[in-house]
């Protein structure tokens, strides 16, 4: 089985400039989450040629206290809805939620699932 593994931020959705921190990073709010142009159609084309399409992404925003846990799922729903509207689908979404400097204790760890490590569990 052939597959394409895509990152999320900057590949599927636009990165955001956060003025307060002076950094370009993942979206922190619902209104900041926007798919990049033609991403849903591109994923559909990958589906059409028989490739599995999966997102593999480090998402330490919750660990760092930048976003609430439910917002990650909200972003996911938006992404899936837009992809579905274009006739495409994803075969998997896999996140590492950890970060060595996390504010959330249970997510503060040097894990094996954070890219570029290879330990992210894929079913
Ligand atoms: Zn991890």
């Amino acid at each position: 089985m052939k597959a394409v593994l895509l990152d999320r931020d900057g590949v599927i959705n636009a990165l955001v400039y956060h003025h307060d921190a002076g950094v370009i990073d993942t979206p922190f709010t619902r209104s900041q989450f926007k798919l990049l142009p033609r991403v849903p159609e591109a994923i559909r084309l990958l589906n059409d040629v028989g490739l599995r399409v999966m997102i593999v992404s480090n998402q330490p925003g919750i660990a760092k206290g930048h976003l609430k846990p439910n917002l990650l799922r909200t972003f996911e729903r938006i992404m899936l809805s837009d992809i579905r509207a274009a006739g495409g689908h994803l075969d998997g979404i896999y996140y590492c939620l950890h970060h060595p400097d996390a504010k959330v204790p249970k997510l503060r760890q040097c894990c094996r699932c954070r890219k570029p490590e290879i330990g992210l569990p894929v079913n």
Side-chain angles (χ1 to χ4, degrees):
M1 183 63 66
K2 294 181 180 177
V4 176
L5 306 179
L6 302 172
D7 203 346
R8 201 199 72 182
D9 297 327
V11 176
I12 302 292
N13 60 277
L15 291 165
V16 176
Y17 178 67
H18 298 278
H19 298 275
D20 52 336
V23 296
I24 297 172
D25 202 345
T26 191
F28 293 169
T29 66
R30 162 64 189 91
S31 63
Q32 293 173 340
F33 188 85
K34 299 188 186 322
L35 265 62
L36 289 165
R38 306 209 54 206
V39 161
E41 293 82 4
I43 290 173
R44 189 200 70 233
L45 289 172
L46 293 169
N47 296 149
D48 288 349
V49 297
L51 295 169
R52 288 194 173 200
V53 181
M54 301 177 212
I55 292 178
V56 179
S57 181
N58 292 337
Q59 289 296 323
I62 297 166
K64 292 179 174 179
H66 293 316
L67 61 149
K68 295 185 168 102
N70 64 346
L71 205 48
L72 191 62
R73 296 298 168 212
T74 298
F75 293 167
E76 201 171 287
R77 278 195 298 276
I78 295 165
M79 180 172 64
L80 291 171
S81 174
D82 288 358
I83 292 168
R84 200 174 306 116
H89 69 274
L90 294 175
D91 295 288
I93 301 174
Y94 305 96
Y95 300 127
C96 166
L97 301 177
H98 310 111
H99 194 276
D101 302 321
K103 291 180 181 173
V104 177
K106 73 176 184 177
L107 296 174
R108 186 183 313 127
Q109 57 179 283
C110 294
C111 61
R112 297 212 50 230
C113 60
R114 183 174 173 76
K115 292 185 302 178
E117 295 293 328
I118 59 170
L120 198 61
V122 176
N123 298 324

